[in-house]
Amino acid sequence: ESTASLAGATIRADGSPFPAEEHPSQVALRTGHPVQDVVMGVRNRRDNVQRWLSIFAAPVFRTGAPRPHEVFCVFEDITSRVLSERALRASEVQLETVFQNLSEGLIIADLKGNVTRWNRAAIEMNGYPDRQELNLHIEKFADLYELRDLAGVAVPFANWPLPRLLREGALPPLEVRIR
């Protein structure tokens, strides 16, 4: 199909209309420069399904001509990738909503023990008004809290749940009291 016949049938990745004069083939023909990695949504008229394409357009010049006389285009169907990315983003939003609205305090650390995330309940429980105070290593918790097993015996920091998990890769059941 020609670019003109696609008028109104193409959209940008954000869902806004993709004007015909901005299609990669037209830009490459007009500017004489290659255009690459442009994402365009096109509705397949036969099955009425939205397809997503990554487009590369390269101008072709006749020997000695200052302007291109045609454009060579490569279209890659990236529909499955676009749909997967959208599903992932939706899942991340849902997970973030659950994380932030838990009534239990939850703190997440990376594999080096650096705290990377706090949910609202954890921030409120720990009384951190300043976001800068939240950037700490798990060892700092040993200065702030004391863990005891159910018999009242202090649990050494090395045996706290997160250090054990980071060290051993798994965490056997453990019940503790925090002070």
Side-chain angles (χ1 to χ4, degrees):
E1 289 189 68
S2 70
T3 301
S5 70
L6 293 173
T10 58
I11 59 173
R12 297 182 188 280
D14 66 2
S16 64
F18 206 134
E21 65 274 6
E22 293 180 25
H23 287 197
S25 60
Q26 296 301 306
V27 173
L29 194 58
R30 185 173 59 252
T31 66
H33 298 291
V35 178
Q36 58 187 4
D37 300 325
V38 175
V39 175
M40 178 188 293
V42 180
R43 184 156 303 279
N44 182 319
R45 291 186 180 130
R46 280 177 284 167
D47 59 11
N48 200 32
V49 172
Q50 185 77 44
R51 290 285 191 212
W52 291 97
L53 306 173
S54 177
I55 304 171
F56 170 79
V60 178
F61 295 83
R62 287 192 173 109
T63 304
R67 309 283 313 147
H69 75 284
E70 64 184 2
V71 177
F72 175 78
C73 292
V74 176
F75 300 91
E76 178 185 2
D77 186 341
I78 59 168
T79 303
S80 61
R81 183 180 86 199
V82 169
L83 297 177
S84 294
E85 288 170 354
R86 285 182 178 177
L88 178 60
R89 280 193 299 276
S91 178
E92 288 171 344
V93 166
Q94 183 180 28
L95 183 58
E96 180 65 17
T97 300
V98 170
F99 175 72
Q100 288 300 338
N101 289 292
L102 286 171
S103 58
E104 295 82 10
L106 185 59
I107 299 169
I108 299 174
D110 64 19
L111 295 176
K112 295 179 181 174
N114 299 306
V115 175
T116 59
R117 304 280 314 280
W118 297 67
N119 71 354
R120 278 184 250 167
I123 292 170
E124 289 171 12
M125 287 177 189
N126 289 283
Y128 284 114
D130 183 3
R131 285 262 189 235
Q132 289 298 92
E133 292 182 63
L134 302 178
N135 299 326
L136 47 88
H137 193 273
I138 60 168
E139 291 174 347
K140 178 70 175 159
F141 287 101
D143 298 335
L144 303 172
Y145 303 101
E146 178 180 83
L147 266 62
R148 293 188 174 272
D149 64 20
L150 297 183
V153 177
V155 177
F157 177 74
N159 291 334
W160 284 22
L162 192 52
R164 285 183 63 189
L165 182 62
L166 293 173
R167 184 178 62 246
E168 300 168 16
L171 186 62
L174 175 69
E175 291 187 46
V176 294
R177 293 190 177 118
I178 302 173
R179 288 192 345 182

